[in-house]
Amino acid sequence: MIELKEVTKEYSKGIAALNGINLKIAQGEFVFIVGDSGSGKSTLIRLIMKELDPTSGTIVVNGQNLNRMKHRKIPMYRRGIGVVFQDFRLLKDRNIYENIAFAQRVTETSSRIIKKKVPAALSLVGLAQKYKAYPKELSGGEQQRVAIARAIVNEPAILLADEPTGNLDPTNSWEIMKLLEEANDRGTTVLVVTHNQEIVNEMKKRVVTMKKGVIVSDEKKGGYNNEN
Amino acid sequence: MKISTFGYSMKQGVKNIGRNKMFSIASVATMSACIFLFGLFYAIVINFNYIVEKAEEGVAITVFFEEDATDTQKTQIGEELAKADGVLDVNYVSAEEAWDNFQGNYFGESADLAEGFKNDNPLGNSDNYEVYMADVSKQADVVEFAESLNGVRKIRKSDVVAKTLTSVNRLVGYVSVAIVAILLAVSIFLISNTVTMGITVRREEIAIMKYIGAKDGFVRAPFVFEGLLIGIIGAVIPLVLLYFMYEKAIQYVMTKFSLLNNIIDFLPVASVYRTLLPVGIALGVGIGFVGSFFTIRKHLRV
Ligand SMILES: Nc1ncnc2c1ncn2[C@@H]1O[C@H](COP(=O)(O)OP(=O)(O)OP(=O)(O)O)[C@@H](O)[C@H]1O
Ligand SMILES: [Mg+2]
């Protein structure tokens, strides 16, 4: 599904944010990416999004080599990927319904389908009642649930989450993780960057640990490794 | 692009305008001023052209013959003149006709005053050719040419009128082109600024759109609509304004300077707008498009 071979990324010459990364993620996997601040986790996510191009090495997603992907093919590629960020990134001037409908407008979905899918996505994250509310009227946890609804409304094959619980208390963090796990249960490949030790240890998923741009451990049913 | 997407982009374009009102208003105002002045100059130039054309029709060189010129010579002179460059028409005026015209001009209503001259035409020797010019700027050449012909005694011409008409006409043309060009540049600049502003305000939204997989066109469309809309509004306002002002202005000139009534004839507003309306709208659309499209290309690397 996702394969990185000898991927190196230098933002400025000589300083590698990622240094020769090799990583293989199969379809339907749930993977935690952990590591110190600055170890290159977000860089990895952005490379998979094709928001950045690697300095060297190849990235293949769904059989497509990202290095050779033409600029105009990027939108279609991204439609197969849902993203969630630490800071939610909702549109403040639109209500919840519009925020999720927006994700479908962007992909030129017809209004008829939008009307069906938005409520379905909202009830998946347990916010069916709040569709008229604006982001500022919701708690952080609720906002992040909206962001997840937006990420899954187009039924992507891959879900990327960069510290989705970074701004949330433990209860809300767990709710968000459960939603991501549910998406994974429906067949979506899920990649979660997190600093939340408790959750990582509890969930017993695959854990990839990074340090200074390299992968230092990769364990099936692993835990949060502090020593590295 | 799907119809629903088109509708969505249009709505977003309208919202953009609402979001940065001040810039939008400034753009529309400049656009309006630009197209208003364009329309104004166009109306002036086209009317001036029309007046000049009318006047040119009246501008004639009169060619008189030597006393001993024979009829064959006269015919030959006529033919030579008709062939000359810039000549529209050559008209033979017999001595009797010349006298009749003279009478008409000088005695007017009281034609009986002229009765005394009836059998003794004082202009007996004044049969002539009236040479009408198609192109006044060639008048000097034609005069020179006529002077060189055998049997020509003298030539009467209205040099000053011809020269002034041509040069004024040209001057008005140049000045208006220059002013309109400057205004066009200012309009494009302002629309470009408005769109840049809109892009800055919506950076975050644009970033999200790109994450979700929006195509370049989808991200850009609202901004292009915004520019087009500003352009169209900025064209319609001055065109409507000018339409009503034009008629009022002509009425005013005609009543204030009733003297001019006989000499000058203005074009009706409908015939001015037959060209001005499509050109004005096209200008608005064009400026709006150029101002937004290239700005987006520059600031919205998607
Ligand atoms: N746009 C950028 N330009 C230059 N350097 C950058 C840029 N983004 C990240 N870096 C550098 O690349 C390295 C990896 O950054 P990255 O954001 O991937 O870390 P991270 O693991 O996500 O950290 P955190 O846990 O704090 O989010 C860091 O040293 C960072 O300073
Ligand atoms: Mg990060």
Side-chain angles (χ1 to χ4, degrees):
Chain A
M1 190 94 213
I2 301 172
E3 189 172 4
L4 287 85
K5 280 183 233 159
E6 293 298 328
V7 171
T8 294
K9 176 67 191 176
E10 295 176 359
Y11 285 103
S12 46
K13 232 176 157 47
I15 307 159
L18 288 182
N19 200 348
I21 295 280
N22 287 294
L23 182 65
K24 229 175 177 168
I25 294 165
Q27 185 167 357
E29 263 194 285
F30 190 113
V31 184
F32 280 120
I33 314 254
V34 301
D36 301 338
S37 184
S39 57
K41 306 179 296 294
S42 297
T43 304
L44 180 69
I45 298 283
R46 293 170 74 194
L47 283 170
I48 297 171
M49 291 288 300
K50 198 166 165 66
E51 194 189 333
L52 298 174
D53 290 320
T55 312
S56 66
T58 52
I59 303 171
V60 179
V61 180
N62 252 339
Q64 291 173 280
N65 185 335
L66 298 196
N67 297 21
R68 281 195 236 119
M69 186 176 285
K70 291 208 178 73
H71 177 81
R72 64 186 164 79
K73 298 274 186 203
I74 296 174
M76 292 319 274
Y77 167 70
R78 287 192 184 146
R79 288 176 196 188
I81 301 175
V83 257
V84 179
F85 299 95
Q86 178 172 3
D87 54 357
F88 323 134
R89 303 203 186 166
L90 302 176
L91 299 172
K92 293 169 193 69
D93 61 340
R94 284 174 232 201
N95 66 25
I96 299 318
Y97 183 95
E98 271 306 314
N99 261 282
I100 297 167
F102 177 71
Q104 299 211 287
R105 294 238 160 75
V106 160
T107 56
E108 296 178 51
T109 311
S110 77
S111 304
R112 194 172 48 82
I113 294 174
I114 292 178
K115 282 201 188 86
K116 270 205 329 238
K117 290 225 170 163
V118 174
L122 274 173
S123 41
L124 272 181
V125 299
L127 283 173
Q129 313 301 321
K130 300 231 175 181
Y131 68 96
K132 271 187 182 161
Y134 281 81
K136 65 171 187 300
E137 297 163 358
L138 299 181
S139 72
E142 287 170 330
Q143 288 188 51
Q144 193 61 298
R145 272 144 70 187
V146 174
I148 290 178
R150 184 180 65 191
I152 61 176
V153 71
N154 289 329
E155 292 162 11
I158 299 169
L159 195 55
L160 306 175
D162 194 351
E163 299 186 37
T165 62
N167 285 343
L168 305 178
D169 63 26
T171 320
N172 276 308
S173 296
W174 269 110
E175 277 184 22
I176 294 302
M177 280 307 170
K178 288 290 165 218
L179 287 173
L180 295 176
E181 197 176 22
E182 280 169 31
N184 181 239
D185 290 341
R186 290 192 297 271
T188 305
T189 307
V190 178
L191 224 77
V192 185
V193 171
T194 187
H195 287 289
N196 195 316
Q197 300 189 28
E198 190 202 319
I199 288 178
V200 171
N201 289 333
E202 198 100 347
M203 281 177 75
K204 305 263 186 294
K205 303 284 187 189
R206 179 176 169 190
V207 179
V208 173
T209 309
M210 296 182 62
K211 191 169 187 178
K212 292 182 180 153
V214 294
I215 293 174
V216 290
S217 81
D218 184 350
E219 303 170 37
K220 281 223 156 29
K221 297 190 194 276
Y224 201 100
N225 208 332
N226 271 326
E227 285 89 85
N228 290 304
Chain B
M1 195 182 271
K2 285 188 183 164
I3 291 179
S4 62
T5 308
F6 185 81
Y8 177 79
S9 299
M10 281 234 290
K11 225 161 90 186
Q12 290 306 312
V14 174
K15 274 194 185 164
N16 279 358
I17 292 179
R19 277 193 200 120
N20 50 95
K21 278 192 199 73
M22 288 320 291
F23 269 86
S24 304
I25 290 171
S27 302
V28 169
T30 326
M31 269 294 295
S32 295
C34 168
I35 297 205
F36 182 84
L37 281 179
F38 169 78
L40 193 68
F41 282 119
Y42 176 78
I44 291 173
V45 168
I46 196 177
N47 267 295
F48 204 85
N49 264 325
Y50 179 68
I51 291 163
V52 167
E53 234 169 67
K54 284 257 162 168
E56 280 178 354
E57 280 171 18
V59 173
I61 307 164
T62 317
V63 179
F64 297 96
F65 310 110
E66 301 272 16
E67 256 169 76
D68 55 359
T70 61
D71 282 352
T72 21
Q73 252 180 332
K74 289 180 185 173
T75 320
Q76 208 178 353
I77 292 169
E79 281 166 1
E80 293 280 351
L81 284 173
K83 273 188 283 181
D85 196 19
V87 170
L88 178 70
D89 196 16
V90 177
N91 183 25
Y92 180 76
V93 182
S94 65
E96 289 73 33
E97 282 167 333
W99 174 232
D100 282 347
N101 282 342
F102 187 79
Q103 274 183 14
N105 285 345
Y106 278 82
F107 300 103
E109 298 289 293
S110 42
D112 45 332
L113 283 176
E115 283 296 297
F117 297 101
K118 202 174 178 182
N119 296 316
D120 178 23
N121 184 350
L123 299 180
N125 212 3
S126 331
D127 58 337
N128 60 57
Y129 279 121
E130 282 175 357
V131 181
Y132 294 93
M133 300 300 300
D135 179 357
V136 197
S137 63
K138 298 250 167 63
Q139 180 171 299
D141 297 337
V142 173
V143 169
E144 205 179 316
F145 173 69
E147 274 168 345
S148 72
L149 293 172
N150 269 338
V152 171
R153 172 167 54 98
K154 89 172 188 198
I155 287 163
R156 208 172 59 204
K157 60 194 195 266
S158 49
D159 232 356
V160 190
V161 179
K163 273 202 185 122
T164 326
L165 284 181
T166 328
S167 56
V168 170
N169 200 9
R170 205 172 286 157
L171 186 71
V172 171
Y174 287 152
V175 169
S176 44
V177 164
I179 292 179
V180 167
I182 292 169
L183 281 165
L184 282 183
V186 173
S187 305
I188 290 178
F189 174 75
L190 267 173
I191 287 193
S192 165
N193 260 356
T194 309
V195 169
T196 307
M197 200 54 200
I199 291 171
T200 315
V201 168
R202 297 178 66 199
R203 276 254 172 262
E204 203 187 353
E205 182 177 339
I206 291 167
I208 296 169
M209 285 164 89
K210 287 197 262 174
Y211 281 131
I212 296 170
K215 289 185 187 154
D216 296 3
F218 185 88
V219 178
R220 287 171 175 164
F223 297 104
V224 177
F225 275 121
E226 181 184 357
L228 284 180
L229 209 62
I230 289 176
I232 292 169
I233 296 172
V236 168
I237 292 174
L239 286 176
V240 169
L241 216 66
L242 210 58
Y243 187 91
F244 292 107
M245 281 181 59
Y246 185 87
E247 301 218 293
K248 285 266 176 290
I250 288 175
Q251 266 172 25
Y252 179 80
V253 170
M254 283 310 199
T255 47
K256 275 278 168 185
F257 309 95
S258 47
L259 246 174
L260 294 175
N261 274 343
N262 306 322
I263 319 165
I264 294 181
D265 196 8
F266 290 106
L267 280 167
V269 71
S271 75
V272 174
Y273 266 65
R274 202 170 302 136
T275 318
L276 185 55
L277 188 68
V279 171
I281 298 280
L283 259 180
V285 171
I287 295 171
F289 185 77
V290 169
S292 55
F293 189 78
F294 291 99
T295 310
I296 294 163
R297 295 201 69 150
K298 203 171 120 204
H299 291 284
L300 211 60
R301 298 229 178 276
V302 276

